[in-house]
Amino acid sequence: MKNIVLLLTCFFTSISASYCLNLKDLKSDTLKIPPYNIKLLEHFNEKIPALHSHTHAIYKDKIVMIGGRKNGLHGGKYIFNQNHTNKRIYVIDTKNWAPVSKWEVHAMSDSKIALDSKENHTSNFHDKSQFRGNNAEFFTEGKVLYLIGGLIGKDSINNPNGPNTLPLFTAIDLPALIDQVLTKTPMKSGSIRQAVDTNFALTGGEIEVMNNNVYLVFGWDFSFKAEKYSHKILSFQYQDDIDLHTLNYTFNRLCSTCWDGQSPVSNTGAFRRRDGSMSPAINPKDGSEALLYYGGVFKNGDTNFDNMIWINDSSAKELPFQMMSNVYTCQVIPVFSTSRKLTFATLLGGMRNADYTGSKNEITEMNSSNTWILPADIIQYLNVPFTNQFTTITVDADLHITQYMMPDSFPPLAKTVTIGTPKKHQEYAPVLLSDKAPVFNGTESEMLWTIDFKYKMPNGVIDFDKFIQDYPVGARLGFLHGGILSGMANLDIENDTDNQGRFSIGSRRIFEVFLVPAIK
């Protein structure tokens, strides 16, 4: 314990951790303890949209938000429609990251998206559906937002045969989109480029760019006629020619372990997953880039997965460790320490698959003595409880894993919120959650990163040693926004035909996220 105190105390100096104390003197078990906490500071701006499962991008000091949903957890029968779909494009002017209360929110209906018809160029952009898509996969490269797939709800006029998953790959020039929202000036032809392929018909999957390849990890192609899971990890390269207004792509050969061998309609298979979380990672053994996928649903078509999958350029494998929390979509803070040769990943909220009974006042290893895995008959079919817990996964050079309960979590409400408003069923009477109510956050939220790129590795993982050397008392990583806000840990949604996500709603809560050294 003396060594731990000395090491952590050194983080409050400008001296690097490796200079302050030779890490080789510490036992490996001690090194595995996360050397940081993730802390939240809530801010308020009532104009910020209440959304979850949406797409976002940051360009300079502007935040763009499109798609997603405004209501809470969907009904057990997946009655998606467009009544609760976000149909507006939001541009949030942060005024060069001024206090959140001063952020200006601008909005425009997605129906008003227009390209300049006066130009002599044609565009291959034809389908606006992704602007109101739910759970699309997306990433940003420079000035361009790229979207893949997403679910579009049923609409009696515009999409009467919905809901359906979109087979679209779309590139959007952010400066042009922002300018149209702010000034109502049509975008130049070619500002939006699009490609169509059934391989892109995914929702609820995960996406990352690794070694110049785009990885599409799991997900499903959903409609009322069929549910098709990908069971695969696909990767491709793309060529986006702004001058020619074209977006092309080439899928790579599927690696031998990137498919679980099951058909799209099979209920079995290790890769029959969606709505898990994923983050970039660094392999502690050789410093190479990797991906870590956490949990997901539905194992055997019924319950959640509780293990992780390690993905690199040429393989994918399940890791023999049972997760004890955060098994559903939530935000992940990926961290790597070169001096410790350890990868860390802190998962923020979401849903849990176990009851933890240990200390919540310090970083504590989760194990069989303090954590009870919920039996399958309790957590079957979507009844995985929401959680506010933060936990950190530690991965060593042998890919051995430890999970730690963190002392911080989502705070209670600070302002009154009304949820659960029904249209038909009076037994779902509106619920007024007063301030200090113990609500649940994190599921389907989005991280708005503001950390300087020099503190990130090429794949986006935070370089802990460099970060903490420059910020010995910690600093901001970005802002966490939105997600599903629930007034109950477990929602009875199997018979919720009103599609209200009983006692849950899209959240507008926004938190400043800090990484700070752990202090004993």
Side-chain angles (χ1 to χ4, degrees), residues 9 21 76 308 349 463:
T9 301
L21 180 67
M308 290 169 285
D463 185 333

Side-chain angles (χ1 to χ4, degrees), residues 210-211 281-290 310 312 459:
M210 179 171 65
N211 296 328
I282 298 295
N283 189 330
K285 188 172 186 177
D286 58 15
S288 61
E289 295 185 2
W310 183 267
N312 60 29
N459 64 343

Side-chain angles (χ1 to χ4, degrees), residues 3 21 29 35 61 72 101 123 153 168 229 297 303 334 360 415 420 455:
N3 282 340
L21 180 67
D29 288 345
D61 65 342
S101 61
S123 173
L168 302 176
Y229 282 72
V297 294
T303 187
K360 295 184 180 179
K415 290 191 175 184
Y455 299 114

Side-chain angles (χ1 to χ4, degrees), residues 67 96 169 211 290 296 302 306 309 357 363 448 515:
N96 198 25
F169 176 29
N211 296 328
D302 189 22
D306 56 11
I309 298 174
T357 59
I363 299 174
L448 309 171
L515 185 150

